[in-house]
Amino acid sequence: MEKLKAGGKEKNTNRKFWISIWKYKGLYLMALPGVIWFILFKYVPLFSSVIAFMDYDIYKGIGGSRFVGLKHFIHMFQFPEFGQIFRNTIIMGAYDVLIVFPVPILLAVLMNEVRGARYKKTVQTAVYVPHFLSWVIVGGIFTTLLSPNTGIVNNIRQMFGLDPIYYMASEKHIRGIMVIASIWKEMGWSSIVYLAAMAGIDPALYEAAEIDGANRFNRILHITLPMILPIIMTMLLLKIGNFLDIGFERTNSFMNSMNQSRIDVFDTFVYRYGLQNLQYSYATAVGMFKSIVGIILLFLANAVSRKTTEQSII
């Protein structure tokens, strides 16, 4: 009898599942391209990560390549430039979390306080547009603006009697330039999720606070930010999970032989050794190391978040 009841419940659950899919078939169809994309480009390639433990030969394939264990991981840590690349990646990741990440939150708060609908839409459009530019174009824009001969920044410096600076070749300035470029390109697009969260806040809370004498700053501090804290923590945890993912296109658009020592990161390192030097196993080992570190950081940050704010994604 118990087996019959269990079987009946299972059939009932399956029936409800397929009824739900049919009922919301439009939403599932909309999500299908994204699901297929993730499966093909995120999950299927995971099976090829085994080449990190082989001397992979592109002609012999995975089945015909020789297994070498941790050889490439040991070689990675013994590589003379590994320390510098790891340090550059950590520094750029820290800049992204500490400087780039908070800016969209601030922008969303400021735009949420704007009451003029036309002005608000104009500002939103202006700050969203850079997201749709490729990093190659953004790099070209900043190269033009910071040119020592024709760039507007150096022209202003010369107006005040200062010597021009070749910013794009300066080890001192290149990290700051990349941070500014990242803020300009992504702050508008990243602020969308926070604006959406703010739109769900009950207006009665603001009205009650205003009646109690709270000024605009106090309403932001005690209503807006606490209400969107779960979204902020979720986005922060996802950002920390991608802490070492600086991005090849972003870095390569600003990197040259004169500033490489300051912004050469794992993504550009993997490109050089994996694609240019055809060392697929070594590049895969480096990429796997980066992923493992990201997972560890994500779990640590999630544990800290759960204890301090009771917010977590795992």
Side-chain angles (χ1 to χ4, degrees), residues 6-22:
K9 287 181 179 179
E10 186 176 348
K11 288 181 180 179
N12 192 36
T13 302
N14 290 336
R15 184 170 177 272
K16 287 182 178 179
F17 173 74
W18 290 110
I19 289 175
S20 176
I21 288 181
W22 178 255

Side-chain angles (χ1 to χ4, degrees), residues 204-277:
L205 295 175
Y206 292 107
E207 294 172 2
E210 190 173 358
I211 292 173
D212 290 339
N215 56 29
R216 181 169 293 186
F217 178 77
N218 287 329
R219 293 197 295 272
I220 292 172
L221 190 61
H222 298 290
I223 298 176
T224 305
L225 292 179
M227 293 298 290
I228 66 170
L229 182 60
I231 298 296
I232 293 175
M233 292 307 302
T234 300
M235 300 303 293
L236 178 60
L237 291 173
L238 293 174
K239 187 73 174 177
I240 292 175
N242 295 315
F243 188 80
L244 299 184
D245 289 331
I246 309 303
F248 166 76
E249 185 181 3
R250 168 189 172 190
T251 307
N252 197 59
S253 298
F254 290 87
M255 190 168 68
N256 53 56
S257 59
M258 301 185 71
N259 62 30
Q260 181 174 337
S261 62
R262 300 284 284 181
I263 59 173
D264 191 16
V265 295
F266 281 128
D267 297 299
T268 50
F269 180 76
V270 167
Y271 169 76
R272 287 200 306 274
Y273 279 82
L275 295 181
Q276 293 184 333
N277 296 344

Side-chain angles (χ1 to χ4, degrees), residues 39-70:
I39 292 174
L40 291 178
F41 296 101
K42 296 296 183 179
Y43 291 101
V44 172
L46 288 177
F47 295 102
S48 300
S49 299
V50 69
I51 68 175
F53 305 96
M54 299 177 172
D55 275 336
Y56 178 69
D57 189 322
I58 192 173
Y59 299 105
K60 295 180 180 179
I62 294 177
S65 299
R66 185 167 60 92
F67 181 80
V68 294
L70 300 177

Side-chain angles (χ1 to χ4, degrees), residues 2-201:
E2 292 181 1
K3 290 183 178 180
L4 290 173
K5 287 182 179 179
K9 287 181 179 179
E10 186 176 348
K11 288 181 180 179
N12 192 36
T13 302
N14 290 336
R15 184 170 177 272
K16 287 182 178 179
F17 173 74
W18 290 110
I19 289 175
S20 176
I21 288 181
W22 178 255
K23 183 178 179 180
Y24 301 105
K25 56 184 179 295
L27 295 176
Y28 283 107
L29 286 173
M30 289 175 61
L32 187 60
V35 172
I36 294 174
W37 185 88
F38 266 95
I39 292 174
L40 291 178
F41 296 101
K42 296 296 183 179
Y43 291 101
V44 172
L46 288 177
F47 295 102
S48 300
S49 299
V50 69
I51 68 175
F53 305 96
M54 299 177 172
D55 275 336
Y56 178 69
D57 189 322
I58 192 173
Y59 299 105
K60 295 180 180 179
I62 294 177
S65 299
R66 185 167 60 92
F67 181 80
V68 294
L70 300 177
K71 169 187 171 182
H72 299 294
F73 292 92
I74 296 172
H75 177 56
M76 175 182 66
F77 289 111
Q78 294 176 341
F79 188 73
E81 297 179 8
F82 177 80
Q84 176 182 308
I85 293 169
F86 185 70
R87 183 170 59 253
N88 290 342
T89 307
I90 291 292
I91 291 173
M92 293 304 301
Y95 284 161
D96 283 347
V97 172
L98 299 177
I99 301 176
V100 179
F101 177 77
V103 173
I105 302 173
L106 177 61
L107 177 63
V109 169
L110 294 176
M111 287 198 293
N112 189 57
E113 295 298 316
V114 175
R115 295 293 174 259
R118 181 176 298 179
Y119 176 76
K120 185 176 181 178
K121 289 181 180 179
T122 303
V123 173
Q124 285 179 321
T125 302
V127 296
Y128 292 167
V129 168
H131 169 77
F132 299 99
L133 301 178
S134 72
W135 274 110
V136 176
I137 295 175
V138 173
I141 291 173
F142 274 78
T143 299
T144 302
L145 292 174
L146 301 174
S147 170
N149 299 319
T150 59
I152 186 172
V153 175
N154 277 305
N155 287 342
I156 294 174
R157 286 180 58 85
Q158 290 176 334
M159 288 173 57
F160 290 94
L162 301 174
D163 295 329
I165 298 175
Y166 192 1
Y167 288 100
M168 299 301 291
S170 171
E171 293 185 348
K172 178 181 178 182
H173 298 96
I174 191 62
R175 287 176 179 166
I177 293 170
M178 286 186 62
V179 169
I180 293 172
S182 299
I183 292 173
W184 177 74
K185 184 178 186 300
E186 299 296 344
M187 66 176 180
W189 187 257
S190 299
S191 68
I192 293 176
V193 66
Y194 304 113
L195 285 170
M198 292 175 192
I201 300 176

